[in-house]
Amino acid sequence: MGTLSLPRKVSILGSTGSVGLSTLDLFDKARAEVEIVALVAGRNVERLAEQALRWRPRMAVIEDETALPILRERLAGSGVRAAAGKAAVIEAASADAQWVMSAIVGFAGLAPTLAAAQAGAIVALANKESLICAGPQLLRTAKLAGGTVIPVDSEHSAIFQVFSPANAQHVTRLILTASGGPFRNWTRDQMARATREQALAHPNWSMGAKISIDSATMMNKGLEVIEAAYLFAMPPERVDVLIHPQSIVHSMVEYADGSTLAQLGPPDMRAPIACAFAWPERLPWPAKPLDLTREPLTFEAPDPERFPALRVAKAALAAGGAAPAAMNAADEVAVSAFLKGRIGFLDIAEVVEETLARMDRQNLLSPPQNDPVEAARITDATARRVADEVVSSLMAPAHA
């Protein structure tokens, strides 16, 4: 590690998922001298036990309380405390780690991420819901506690690395790049007939079903527009998206003097994790070097007719309040309905847009704001109910 002054006490929330696995693999490859304070998983008790025996954290937490006896049995005699349940997850997030990887998937990651921010830790953020549902509160909480939030998504990490806070007033645009997904060159008619298998076939990344479908609709990029606006205090009209099929330029920042700064690298999640871990220094590890001679880098504007999710997301961002959280919940319902064959591919964005419209008409986008987690929970539950109603109204014999 040389003379690098890196965090030593580390907790990983979501240690058995892809980001958690990449984080631990990075520590191995970099030979990082870290003390693991806590490892947290949802249901994968066997993998959590393996990790705990390898890294010897103070505590290993499984959210699924029914798995606690198995975890205790696997860790017997190891000196690692086994715990389970939501309260234990919050305890792990609030422990005295200097650096916390927030990689619990979905809405379940919101409360632990806020807890880590309240504890004053450096929060390496890989949980979208924390920003979508409570972005302003999360960032304010971290600042008041003396901590910070560093994004781990490759696009936001790219902006973070080339965004100069001292020159923020001279930033004219944030430009997020997108692969374009599997339907980049498909017509709208072809997309209307897209199958589950076709939508899941991402050209560049191996991901879970939900994020793969979000990439195909470009809703993932819509969510990232909202995240970027919150993270870097940018209005919706100054956050744009460009399709970049090679996934080499991860994002760009355009300045008023005509300069555009970009961050480039091979598609590898360990690179943004390494950045978040060592910032403002750099963590040496055997990363694959970038070879710019292999293929040309190309860019194109996304088609708003074929990818309406971008417009829907920007409208939710402009509406503010609970609209982004409602959009996120509605999208989860719509994607699930598509994966189950209940609606067509192009219906996904329609379900989300109609859900937001109905909630706005019924004044359901203003939950109580005194508790950000409870407010987000209410919005999430309400949006899922309304989205289910929209899905039912869209179902037709062709989709049955």
Side-chain angles (χ1 to χ4, degrees), residues 13 16 27 40 58 73-75 94 101 110 141 152 180 190 193 199 205 244 246 255 285 292 305 342 369 384 390 392:
L13 314 180
T16 61
F27 291 162
V40 176
R58 294 183 211 162
E73 179 185 348
R74 298 291 187 273
L75 299 182
S94 307
M101 168 56 74
L110 173 57
T141 296
V152 169
Q190 288 174 314
R193 298 189 297 272
W205 301 87
H244 170 53
Q246 296 80 25
Y255 289 90
W285 68 283
L292 289 173
E305 295 299 318
R342 298 178 66 205
Q369 296 298 312
R384 289 176 190 277
V390 177
S392 296

Side-chain angles (χ1 to χ4, degrees), residues 84-129:
K86 288 181 168 52
V89 173
I90 297 298
E91 180 187 351
S94 307
D96 63 340
Q98 298 163 293
W99 188 87
V100 177
M101 168 56 74
S102 170
I104 294 175
V105 174
F107 185 78
L110 173 57
T113 302
L114 279 167
Q118 287 168 345
I122 299 169
V123 178
L125 188 64
N127 172 266
K128 285 182 180 297
E129 284 73 13

Side-chain angles (χ1 to χ4, degrees), residues 86-397:
K86 288 181 168 52
V89 173
I90 297 298
E91 180 187 351
S94 307
D96 63 340
Q98 298 163 293
W99 188 87
V100 177
M101 168 56 74
S102 170
I104 294 175
V105 174
F107 185 78
L110 173 57
T113 302
L114 279 167
Q118 287 168 345
I122 299 169
V123 178
L125 188 64
N127 172 266
K128 285 182 180 297
E129 284 73 13
S130 296
L131 279 175
I132 298 298
C133 298
Q137 296 95 325
L138 171 64
L139 298 172
R140 185 164 55 248
T141 296
K143 184 176 181 180
L144 289 173
T148 188
V149 174
I150 301 180
V152 169
D153 277 355
S154 59
E155 296 83 0
H156 302 111
S157 174
I159 293 173
F160 177 81
Q161 293 181 60
V162 296
F163 182 93
S164 169
N167 288 309
Q169 73 273 25
H170 301 304
V171 172
T172 53
R173 273 197 309 166
L174 306 180
I175 305 169
L176 298 163
T177 57
S179 69
F183 302 144
R184 179 172 64 91
N185 294 318
W186 285 39
T187 66
R188 186 171 171 84
D189 286 343
Q190 288 174 314
M191 292 167 72
R193 298 189 297 272
T195 67
R196 179 184 191 277
E197 291 69 29
Q198 289 169 327
L200 289 171
H202 194 279
N204 296 347
W205 301 87
S206 176
M207 306 178 293
K210 168 63 165 59
I211 184 62
S212 294
I213 301 302
D214 279 349
S215 178
T217 62
M218 290 193 70
M219 179 60 81
N220 71 319
K221 215 50 54 175
L223 291 167
E224 288 171 12
V225 165
I226 295 172
E227 293 175 83
Y230 287 153
L231 280 167
F232 304 103
M234 284 289 146
E237 64 273 13
R238 288 165 63 187
V239 186
D240 284 339
V241 173
L242 272 182
I243 292 178
H244 170 53
Q246 296 80 25
S247 296
I248 296 298
V249 177
H250 295 298
S251 279
M252 296 171 271
V253 177
E254 179 185 274
Y255 289 90
D257 63 358
S259 298
T260 299
L261 305 186
Q263 187 269 334
L264 289 72
D268 188 329
M269 274 306 300
R270 291 170 296 183
I273 294 169
C275 171
F277 181 65
W279 191 263
E281 302 180 71
R282 294 285 175 172
L283 177 68
W285 68 283
K288 179 182 177 182
L290 179 62
D291 183 0
L292 289 173
T293 66
R294 293 186 62 185
E295 60 180 324
L297 305 182
T298 60
F299 303 88
E300 60 192 75
D303 181 349
E305 295 299 318
R306 292 186 297 127
F307 299 106
L310 288 173
R311 170 180 52 76
V312 174
K314 280 207 169 186
L317 174 60
M327 185 193 79
N328 179 73
D331 177 59
E332 288 195 14
V333 171
V335 168
S336 176
F338 169 71
L339 289 171
K340 293 174 182 175
R342 298 178 66 205
I343 60 175
F345 180 78
L346 291 180
D347 293 331
I348 296 173
E350 184 177 343
V351 167
V352 177
E353 188 165 31
E354 178 60 20
T355 297
L356 290 172
R358 291 189 186 188
M359 290 182 69
D360 185 44
R361 288 196 296 269
Q362 298 171 36
N363 294 316
L364 297 175
L365 291 175
S366 301
Q369 296 298 312
N370 55 321
D371 181 341
V373 176
E374 179 62 12
R377 187 197 64 76
I378 292 171
T379 297
D380 185 86
T382 304
R384 289 176 190 277
R385 174 180 58 78
V386 175
D388 276 329
E389 295 170 358
V390 177
V391 167
S392 296
S393 71
L394 283 177
M395 286 178 66

Side-chain angles (χ1 to χ4, degrees), residues 28 37 59 251:
D28 255 336
V37 175
M59 65 186 302
S251 279

